[in-house]
Amino acid sequence: MSKKKMIYLAGPLFSRAELEYNLKLKDMLLNNSFSVFLPQEEAEDSAMGRESQNQEYIFMKCAEGVNASDLVVAVLDGVDVDSGTAWEIGYAYAKGKPVIGLRTDFRELADGIVNLMVEMSIVSLARDEEELLKMLEKFR
């Protein structure tokens, strides 16, 4: 039996809705035989975690999470991509890690779906969770 691929799940984590959506995605990925690094849990990157941990700790745990991952799934919803998520995408790209974007938001920029630098850093873009799972098949 082959080792489960590790996914770093990047995305905004500042509202209750974002936190709950991240957990939903994590569960979906776990149920489809992937391991998942979720910053809001693994790096304690949440409002409470930021009170008890210093920012360097959170930063280092997230960087280590990307380093240890086989690929990154990045939630790209919103008017603009979350700045932390954009950094994680760029870092993963620099490390040669494939990044799959997930954008369920129907809004588009005048010149593309997301920021040009983000769009050029991802290997594919899923428009919903079902499409994401299909894209992940080739990474098993």
Side-chain angles (χ1 to χ4, degrees):
M1 187 167 155
S2 62
K3 178 181 164 254
K4 289 183 180 182
K5 297 288 183 171
M6 173 64 76
I7 294 175
Y8 183 99
L9 182 52
L13 43 73
F14 300 101
S15 71
R16 182 168 295 177
E18 292 166 342
L19 293 169
E20 289 174 5
Y21 186 64
N22 295 342
L23 290 171
K24 174 187 169 187
L25 286 177
K26 175 191 171 196
D27 289 344
M28 180 190 77
L29 295 169
L30 290 172
N31 289 333
N32 281 274
S33 300
F34 292 97
S35 296
V36 180
F37 181 100
L38 183 59
Q40 71 196 50
E41 293 179 339
E42 307 289 336
E44 300 175 54
D45 194 0
S46 63
M48 230 165 56
R50 287 180 185 225
E51 290 173 13
S52 65
Q53 303 291 339
N54 67 46
Q55 289 185 333
E56 183 179 3
Y57 171 84
I58 294 169
F59 174 83
M60 294 306 297
K61 288 294 281 187
C62 290
E64 290 167 9
V66 173
N67 291 337
S69 70
D70 296 298
L71 65 149
V72 171
V73 169
V75 178
L76 306 178
D77 288 342
V79 175
D80 200 10
V81 175
D82 170 71
S83 58
T85 303
W87 183 89
E88 291 159 328
I89 292 167
Y91 185 66
Y93 178 84
K95 292 289 200 171
K97 311 271 181 173
V99 179
I100 297 175
L102 173 61
R103 184 166 175 86
T104 64
D105 196 327
F106 63 84
R107 295 173 286 188
E108 295 184 8
L109 299 175
D111 58 348
I113 296 170
V114 294
N115 173 286
L116 168 69
M117 299 304 281
V118 169
E119 193 168 338
M120 297 309 298
S121 298
I122 62 177
V123 296
S124 54
L125 180 66
R127 296 311 294 247
D128 58 38
E129 295 86 1
E130 185 177 308
E131 188 176 13
L132 172 65
L133 289 176
K134 288 178 185 171
M135 290 176 180
L136 286 170
E137 280 299 315
K138 70 179 182 179
F139 293 99
R140 283 198 194 278

